[in-house]
Amino acid sequence: MKRRVWLWFGIFVFLLGSFLACAAAKTWESQPEEFKGQTITVLITDPHSAVVESWKPEWEALTGAKVEMVVVPYASLYDKMMTDFITGTGAYDLICWPSTWAGDVMGGGWVLSLDELMQEYGYPDWDDVVPAIKLIVSWGGKIYALPYDGDCHMLYYRKDALENPEYRAKFKEKYGYEYNIPPKSWEEILHVAEFFTGWDWDNDGETEYGIAFIAQRKTQAMWSYLDIAMQYAAQPGVAPFFDPDTMEPQVNNPGWVEAMDVIQKLTKFAPPGLLSYGYSELRQAFVSGNSAIALDWGDIGILEQSPEKYGSKVKGLLGYGPLPGAMKTYDFRAKQWIEGYNQVNFLNFGGWVFSISRFSKNPVPAYKFAAYFTSPERSLLDVCGVHGYTGANPWRFSHFKNVDKWIEGGWSKESVTKYLETIQTILSDPKAITDLRIPGAAEYYDYLDLYLAEVLSGTKAPKDACDAIYNEWVKITETHGKEKQKKLYRESLGLPTE
Amino acid sequence: MRRDAIKFGFLFPGLLYLMAMAVFPLIWSLTLSFHRWKAATAAPRVFVGFENFWNIFFRDPRFWNSLRFTALYVALVVSIELTLGLLLAYILSERIRFRNFFRVLFLLPMAAPPIAVAFMWRMLLNPDAGIIVKILNALGVNMVRWLTDARFTPFVLMAVDIWEWTPFMFLGLLAAMQSLPISLYDAAQVDGASRGQIFWFVTFPLLLPIMVTLVLLRAIDAFKLFELVFGITGGGPGTSTESLSYYIYTVGFQYFDLGYACALSWVFLCIVLIMANFLLQRLRKEI
Amino acid sequence: MRHKRKVEAFFVVAWIVLGLFSVWTVFPFFWGAVTSFKSPGEQYSTAFLPFAQFQPSTYAWQVVLGQAEGERTRQGLWNSVLISSLSSLLVLFLGSFAGYALTRFRFRRWKNKDIASWILSNRMFPPIAVAIPFFLIMRTLKLLDTLPAVIMAHTVYNLPLATWLMIDFFRELPEEVEEAALIDGCSPVQAFFRIAFPLSLPGVIAVYILCFIFSWNEFLFVITLSYRKTMTMPVIIAGTLTVRGLDFWKVSALSLLAIAPPVILAALTSRFLIRGLTLGAIKE
């Protein structure tokens, strides 16, 4: 009797052991020759294509697989991807896309949930990923993408202007208070921008201006506006787009209108060409030194470092800060203003991610390839500038710690410390607000952009524009189905969906 | 009978090819235009009858706005291009030195891909570093205002179109002038007609039919204005440069609202057909 | 005497117009060329005299043609050449057949005019509405990312234009020559190949070049129907507008490359172009 038990126990131990051995072989780290003869196709755009290109030979040599890249212009990425999805073609295995499309791509169910793959093969140090980015790659509690890039707007300012004691004194004389460095609220920014507009404060013989931001139509100027709207219409952890109980758009509530008013005022303190500033114009203008303050993703920081490549005249002169807050904020649930300082971190655009198409025939090699180059050590090289400009910004805790690599990438120690500290603060904020992540987000945002453009060009009053956006948003919600949108919106916020 | 076989033999390869390639897209888009299909979200197609068309005509100010801009755009650029093309063709059909050089030179812009043209002009018109902006500013023209004021930007876009497509008019008209019968001119000169008179009473009437063809072809293409908007203004400032074709692109390829985009396409087709028919019936008697 | 003065006044005005228009035409190309020889850090400067004002740099050309992207650029150019020349050839044959049929024969059920109008209407449809159905057709035919797919699409796009222009040419040709040949025992097919086609050769060349240019410049069908093997120059140029912005030096270099072949072709054949494109102007 006893022997029988021992025998069974022995068999059990043997089976467990061999199972563990098998499981141990299943790791995210690619194994030699494991995908011999298989091909995966990656849909990607420049400059991210350069990143994949740089890891491709190594990985191909290691695993014996072949990586085909389909590189398309950024403007065609969405339609290229969607054409493939809606026709069920399945030409791509791995797709590099900006997570601001999550509502369509994840919400539409076009990409695989990675939970099983991550469980089976593991993932290179999930705890190293900053919380905001974890939020961005998930939908309804499941993970649908591998992170690759951390995106958020930050405030850039000219240290030589704002920190000049003489200017500070003059400012105090004029406005009766001393501004913070960097300015803490949009009320302050309005004054600072006004103060630094229209004179030559850096003594280069040219007139400078207060503030610059992206304002051209169809270059996603709405992010500049949302930076402000978040402060007046949202509170930490409370997304301001819709009322999650009724799916009523909030975009014309007093908070949003106030923000629209602020951005219209700011255009007066901006360079004259502001309305034709897309990404390239803004970044080029700011690093060539024409304004005191700018809003942008991490990119200006990188362009700042290389005068020879991007014509930067401000190397070492830039300071970095989080988005300014506001001195009051509108609580849409209570339908009233809350007086007092409010600052909200907002994950504009959310960063680029890699997903596996639902129609992919090779999900495993695709997963392992993406895991390969997004592992901590390898992805560090892509974000810190060692690999040149890649469009990827830091998104792992380890990226923020390894300052030496950044210095190798061309940064000065002082700049990079401040830069990383700023980004890390924003991305580690558990109450940071994500994008509007519901189906049709592209359409919602485009109407926001459209009427914002009318406000910026002065053809519409802030309140009218907000009302017009409200009407469009109601229409869009209706055509997608109000109940469905409400459920998905709640899902995207992590609220219970009854 | 045999002659019939031959005549269909000539016509059919091209016609059948076009039909084979065009029929499916036409049916596909016509069917969709009666559906609501937000394709990006994997939502099912819903038959909605004429709702899309109703919305276009009665609930869509953006459609009317873009139509207004496009119509103004087509009218202005085509007429300016025609005038300039006529002027240049007239000068270069005279005996003038370096004639062949200029003839080639003036054709160049047409040969450049519109997307490249758009990007190049975007570079020239960059508000802070664009060379044209700097030159004009130095001459006292506030160019930045032209780029950022919704009332003026459409004209900047038109200028680029004129740069690119005047060669098309020039080419067609020059070719036509080359083949004008010389005897008519001799007769006119003998009668002591002045240069202006000869142009107005002899050349111009002879050129009229070809001008209609050229205007028709150019107007159809100008109506499809897309690359310049896409590459230079994105439709802004405000909505001042959103062309119809760019609006359809936005609805179709950015919202993936395919039902509505197809309905818009059909409305677009009808508008162009009406325009083309008007030109053909009024101005060109017989094909 | 008075007459002569007037003529001179005309030439003065003519030269002024020519001068202004030359500057207007050439300046963007000139600036593109200058920018393509600037280092990226100098791309926004107004310097335009090489050596005197800025040190020319071949950086842009090294990127575009060298190791980094050279292969893609060369393939794009080659694809563009193949697609444009072949699709234009196909268009030319189909278009001249159809054009000949519509000028020399009378169709009864559908009138000639209706057929011609229908053909032209194919050029009026916004390409956006056609792109996805074309994608579906090509997928069914298993032709995605192959040259035939793009060539077929461009043929559809250019055939209406070619047919219309060819109609005008054949109307130009005196029918008597062909009729004489027919009486001498030529078949209509022979009449077309031996007489009508050769006689309208300048026009045929002109149409070919126009179609070549239009096909060379077409963007939307290529991007819809290609993955990587059949990308053409316009797509590569569109790709320079990235999330980072627009690199002027790169756009300039690529645009010059993309402009060169059709420009050279147009320059070499401009005599035919001008002689050929009479477009039936005079037949009244």
Side-chain angles (χ1 to χ4, degrees):
Chain A
M1 200 60 201
K2 238 179 176 182
R3 275 173 74 178
R4 217 57 187 262
V5 173
W6 276 113
L7 184 69
W8 279 114
F9 185 71
I11 293 171
F12 176 73
V13 167
F14 175 76
L15 284 176
L16 188 74
S18 50
F19 176 75
L20 283 176
C22 282
K26 288 202 164 180
T27 145
W28 62 268
E29 192 66 91
S30 302
Q31 303 302 313
E33 301 296 317
E34 75 175 314
F35 302 121
K36 204 164 170 60
Q38 300 190 40
T39 301
I40 59 169
T41 308
V42 187
L43 177 67
I44 202 164
T45 114
D46 191 29
H48 309 292
S49 53
V51 173
V52 176
E53 198 82 62
S54 68
W55 296 113
K56 186 178 120 163
E58 215 176 289
W59 191 76
E60 283 180 338
L62 177 68
T63 61
K66 202 164 169 319
V67 179
E68 299 270 22
M69 311 236 304
V70 177
V71 185
V72 297
Y74 171 57
S76 304
L77 180 64
Y78 186 75
D79 57 71
K80 202 73 184 140
M81 177 176 83
M82 276 301 163
T83 310
D84 188 79
F85 288 161
I86 64 173
T87 59
T89 304
Y92 318 113
D93 299 300
L94 200 57
I95 298 166
C96 177
W97 57 283
S99 61
T100 181
W101 300 340
D104 294 340
V105 179
M106 294 180 182
W110 300 116
V111 292
L112 287 185
S113 156
L114 300 178
D115 286 2
E116 289 99 63
L117 283 166
M118 288 175 83
Q119 219 142 59
E120 200 174 339
Y121 295 97
Y123 176 81
D125 205 351
W126 184 244
D127 292 333
D128 191 31
V129 179
V130 297
I133 300 297
K134 283 183 181 167
L135 209 63
I136 273 165
V137 294
S138 342
W139 179 274
K142 284 185 165 182
I143 296 164
Y144 283 91
L146 292 184
Y148 154 78
D149 169 34
D151 265 349
C152 55
H153 264 191
M154 51 201 270
L155 186 79
Y156 293 89
Y157 64 94
R158 288 285 293 277
K159 288 193 280 187
D160 51 334
L162 268 67
E163 288 175 3
N164 184 323
E166 189 191 323
Y167 297 161
R168 298 197 75 179
K170 262 198 204 155
F171 180 92
K172 192 174 178 194
E173 205 174 289
K174 191 169 170 196
Y175 296 94
Y177 69 97
E178 263 189 28
Y179 57 79
N180 298 291
I181 296 179
K184 271 180 72 182
S185 69
W186 285 103
E187 288 85 355
E188 240 177 79
I189 294 264
L190 275 170
H191 287 154
V192 175
E194 183 181 25
F195 179 74
F196 284 104
T197 292
W199 51 290
D200 180 16
W201 37 257
D202 63 355
N203 303 314
D204 65 349
E206 280 172 24
T207 310
E208 275 90 30
Y209 301 89
I211 186 167
F213 49 88
I214 293 177
Q216 196 190 19
R217 172 96 174 97
K218 289 271 182 185
T219 54
Q220 304 179 337
M222 72 276 179
W223 302 123
S224 316
Y225 169 60
L226 286 172
D227 288 342
I228 306 173
M230 285 300 141
Q231 317 305 331
Y232 285 102
Q235 293 81 45
V238 184
F241 303 101
F242 296 91
D243 182 334
D245 296 325
T246 59
M247 207 53 197
E248 183 79 353
Q250 290 304 312
V251 62
N252 63 344
N253 79 30
W256 288 80
V257 176
E258 178 77 23
M260 201 57 105
D261 194 48
V262 169
I263 201 166
Q264 195 175 39
K265 281 185 189 141
L266 284 176
T267 57
K268 290 195 215 91
F269 313 134
L274 182 80
L275 291 192
S276 43
Y277 278 14
Y279 320 93
S280 48
E281 286 84 0
L282 166 73
R283 290 168 188 168
Q284 170 260 316
F286 189 67
V287 299
S288 73
N290 81 341
S291 26
I293 298 173
L295 293 167
D296 191 23
W297 287 272
D299 303 66
I300 281 184
I302 295 168
L303 303 196
E304 174 204 346
Q305 307 311 319
S306 49
E308 57 301 328
K309 252 189 136 166
Y310 304 108
S312 162
K313 292 180 189 154
V314 293
K315 183 162 180 170
L317 295 180
L318 295 191
Y320 320 96
L323 291 180
M327 297 314 289
K328 59 178 181 178
T329 176
Y330 187 79
D331 182 350
F332 67 85
R333 287 162 306 185
K335 299 207 184 313
Q336 63 182 16
W337 287 99
I338 308 171
E339 295 296 329
Y341 186 65
N342 178 53
Q343 199 273 338
V344 173
N345 286 317
F346 178 54
L347 305 172
N348 314 51
F349 203 65
W352 291 79
V353 296
F354 278 89
S355 285
I356 299 172
S357 161
R358 191 176 99 189
F359 306 101
S360 164
K361 285 158 208 94
N362 306 306
V364 177
Y367 174 76
K368 282 201 161 186
F369 181 47
Y372 180 82
F373 62 78
T374 54
S375 66
E377 304 77 38
R378 299 195 182 99
S379 59
L380 174 63
L381 301 177
D382 293 328
V383 297
C384 72
V386 168
H387 277 179
Y389 182 94
T390 59
N393 297 318
W395 54 277
R396 279 179 181 272
F397 287 117
S398 57
H399 295 158
F400 297 106
K401 285 185 206 120
N402 282 311
V403 178
D404 294 346
K405 277 280 173 211
W406 288 81
I407 294 169
E408 203 180 302
W411 289 71
S412 74
K413 184 156 184 171
E414 195 203 339
S415 288
V416 78
T417 316
K418 195 79 188 66
Y419 176 79
L420 289 178
E421 191 189 301
T422 307
I423 298 184
Q424 191 176 4
T425 320
I426 301 172
L427 291 185
S428 330
D429 179 1
K431 293 197 161 177
I433 293 178
T434 55
D435 259 342
L436 181 58
R437 286 150 53 90
I438 51 175
E443 204 173 340
Y444 288 109
Y445 272 159
D446 193 50
Y447 275 100
L448 185 59
D449 186 45
L450 178 82
Y451 289 108
L452 170 66
E454 298 220 21
V455 168
L456 293 176
S457 68
T459 44
K460 249 200 167 73
K463 175 68 180 152
D464 298 346
C466 287
D467 285 340
I469 300 166
Y470 172 86
N471 289 334
E472 295 297 340
W473 281 23
V474 169
K475 254 198 258 172
I476 299 166
T477 309
E478 270 166 17
T479 49
H480 280 279
K482 195 168 175 180
E483 282 309 307
K484 190 184 131 218
Q485 290 295 82
K486 188 172 117 186
K487 181 170 162 285
L488 291 172
Y489 183 60
R490 294 183 68 95
E491 225 172 81
S492 78
L493 299 180
L495 294 172
T497 52
E498 61 274 63
Chain B
M1 196 57 225
R2 196 171 129 69
R3 201 174 153 76
D4 259 14
I6 287 163
K7 85 177 181 191
F8 286 116
F10 270 115
L11 181 67
F12 274 4
L15 195 67
L16 290 184
Y17 180 78
L18 267 185
M19 282 182 166
M21 294 296 289
V23 161
F24 174 65
L26 289 181
I27 294 175
W28 185 86
S29 59
L30 192 62
T31 319
L32 269 189
S33 63
F34 295 104
H35 286 77
R36 181 192 305 140
W37 190 27
K38 299 255 179 189
T41 58
R45 284 183 218 191
V46 187
F47 181 79
V48 291
F50 283 91
E51 189 190 283
N52 286 331
F53 293 98
W54 177 265
N55 285 344
I56 290 173
F57 289 118
F58 301 106
R59 285 184 67 194
D60 192 349
R62 239 176 127 183
F63 164 76
W64 290 106
N65 179 62
S66 56
L67 179 62
R68 196 167 47 235
F69 165 69
T70 313
L72 177 75
Y73 183 90
V74 172
L76 274 177
V77 298
V78 173
S79 47
I80 295 176
E81 281 161 16
L82 183 70
T83 317
L84 276 176
L86 201 57
L87 179 69
L88 293 172
Y90 181 63
I91 292 174
L92 288 180
S93 60
E94 290 295 322
R95 268 193 210 92
I96 206 160
R97 228 189 290 188
F98 307 122
R99 191 167 74 168
N100 286 331
F101 169 76
F102 283 118
R103 282 177 177 183
V104 176
L105 187 74
F106 291 163
L107 291 183
L108 298 189
M110 192 173 83
I115 193 81
V117 170
F119 286 170
M120 260 160 62
W121 277 89
R122 186 176 176 156
M123 166 174 98
L124 297 169
L125 294 172
N126 181 305
D128 298 301
I131 184 72
I132 291 192
V133 175
K134 284 193 174 167
I135 292 175
L136 288 176
N137 276 348
L139 293 174
V141 182
N142 185 354
M143 193 56 204
V144 172
R145 183 137 181 253
W146 283 82
L147 294 170
T148 54
D149 191 321
R151 281 167 299 170
F152 300 135
T153 326
F155 298 102
V156 176
L157 216 57
M158 288 176 198
V160 179
D161 194 289
I162 290 165
W163 179 82
E164 193 184 3
W165 290 110
T166 301
F168 179 78
M169 292 289 188
F170 162 70
L171 177 67
L173 290 166
L174 182 66
M177 283 186 188
Q178 291 293 294
S179 57
L180 292 181
I182 298 166
S183 53
L184 277 175
Y185 286 88
D186 291 344
Q189 232 153 25
V190 170
D191 291 348
S194 74
R195 192 176 270 279
Q197 282 171 327
I198 296 178
F199 178 78
W200 195 244
F201 293 108
V202 181
T203 315
F204 194 77
L206 284 173
L207 288 179
L208 214 50
I210 173 138
M211 284 202 246
V212 176
T213 307
L214 288 174
V215 166
L216 180 66
L217 291 174
R218 188 72 266 281
I220 290 174
D221 281 357
F223 224 92
K224 294 202 284 190
L225 167 72
F226 172 74
E227 280 95 343
L228 294 185
V229 180
F230 172 85
I232 301 179
T233 64
T239 50
S240 59
T241 57
E242 187 168 83
S243 72
L244 195 48
S245 166
Y246 190 68
Y247 176 46
I248 300 177
Y249 167 84
T250 308
V251 173
F253 271 4
Q254 289 188 333
Y255 309 163
F256 259 81
D257 192 346
L258 291 178
Y260 200 63
C262 286
L264 279 169
S265 301
W266 274 88
V267 172
F268 180 97
L269 178 67
C270 292
I271 295 170
V272 181
L273 272 176
I274 292 168
M275 179 184 80
N277 268 329
F278 173 79
L279 278 171
L280 285 173
Q281 307 252 302
R282 279 295 178 81
L283 304 168
R284 205 178 141 145
K285 282 150 241 148
E286 193 25 43
I287 130 155
Chain C
M1 204 53 218
R2 207 175 142 259
H3 189 68
K4 180 138 196 230
R5 269 238 309 282
K6 249 193 157 165
V7 170
E8 274 165 0
F10 166 79
F11 279 106
V12 171
V13 174
W15 274 105
I16 291 172
V17 171
L18 288 181
L20 285 177
F21 208 77
S22 302
V23 172
W24 162 250
T25 303
V26 169
F27 188 77
F29 292 115
F30 165 73
W31 198 253
V34 167
T35 308
S36 75
F37 283 103
K38 283 183 178 171
S39 64
E42 278 175 322
Q43 59 180 327
Y44 306 113
S45 76
T46 49
F48 63 93
L49 290 174
F51 300 106
Q53 287 181 310
F54 71 97
Q55 197 54 41
S57 143
T58 52
Y59 179 80
W61 296 97
Q62 277 169 17
V63 169
V64 168
L65 290 174
Q67 230 183 357
E69 289 164 23
E71 201 187 316
R72 197 161 65 120
T73 315
R74 276 189 295 274
Q75 205 195 352
L77 268 173
W78 177 235
N79 284 340
S80 282
V81 169
L82 274 183
I83 290 170
S84 314
S85 51
L86 291 178
S87 80
S88 309
L89 203 63
L90 192 58
V91 163
L92 198 65
F93 279 107
L94 295 177
S96 55
F97 287 156
Y100 191 71
L102 287 171
T103 40
R104 290 295 186 263
F105 305 103
R106 186 164 286 277
F107 292 87
R108 257 157 259 125
R109 186 165 304 164
W110 280 19
K111 296 211 186 70
N112 290 29
K113 193 176 168 179
D114 299 332
I115 299 175
S117 297
W118 185 80
I119 289 178
L120 188 64
S121 72
N122 276 294
R123 200 183 168 84
M124 300 173 192
F125 212 53
I128 299 120
V130 188
I132 292 179
F134 268 16
F135 178 85
L136 289 169
I137 294 178
M138 295 308 168
R139 196 187 60 165
T140 316
L141 298 176
K142 300 228 179 306
L143 285 177
L144 284 176
D145 201 26
T146 61
L147 289 175
V150 184
I151 291 175
M152 280 162 80
H154 281 186
T155 308
V156 176
Y157 173 65
N158 272 328
L159 192 51
L161 178 86
T163 310
W164 266 62
L165 294 178
M166 290 314 293
I167 287 176
D168 278 337
F169 291 130
F170 290 127
R171 284 183 31 183
E172 268 290 88
L173 287 184
E175 236 171 299
E176 297 79 31
V177 189
E178 286 158 65
E179 272 161 15
L182 286 176
I183 289 162
D184 287 350
C186 251
S187 75
V189 181
Q190 282 170 327
F192 172 77
F193 278 109
R194 298 228 181 116
I195 298 162
F197 195 76
L199 276 180
S200 55
L201 204 58
V204 167
I205 292 174
V207 172
Y208 183 83
I209 292 163
L210 272 184
C211 291
F212 185 94
I213 288 173
F214 278 117
S215 166
W216 183 274
N217 294 346
E218 205 285 328
F219 168 76
L220 201 72
F221 288 136
V222 179
I223 184 80
T224 311
L225 301 176
S226 310
Y227 293 130
R228 65 191 166 269
K229 282 182 249 141
T230 53
M231 286 296 181
T232 59
M233 282 314 276
V235 178
I236 293 178
I237 292 174
T240 54
L241 182 64
T242 66
V243 278
R244 163 187 56 205
L246 195 57
D247 282 326
F248 291 165
W249 47 272
K250 197 165 161 189
V251 175
S252 301
L254 282 173
S255 299
L256 287 185
L257 276 180
I259 291 167
V263 162
I264 292 168
L265 185 72
L268 288 179
T269 52
S270 65
R271 270 176 352 133
F272 293 106
L273 255 183
I274 291 155
R275 189 139 49 94
L277 272 183
T278 50
L279 292 157
I282 321 306
K283 186 126 182 196
E284 271 300 288

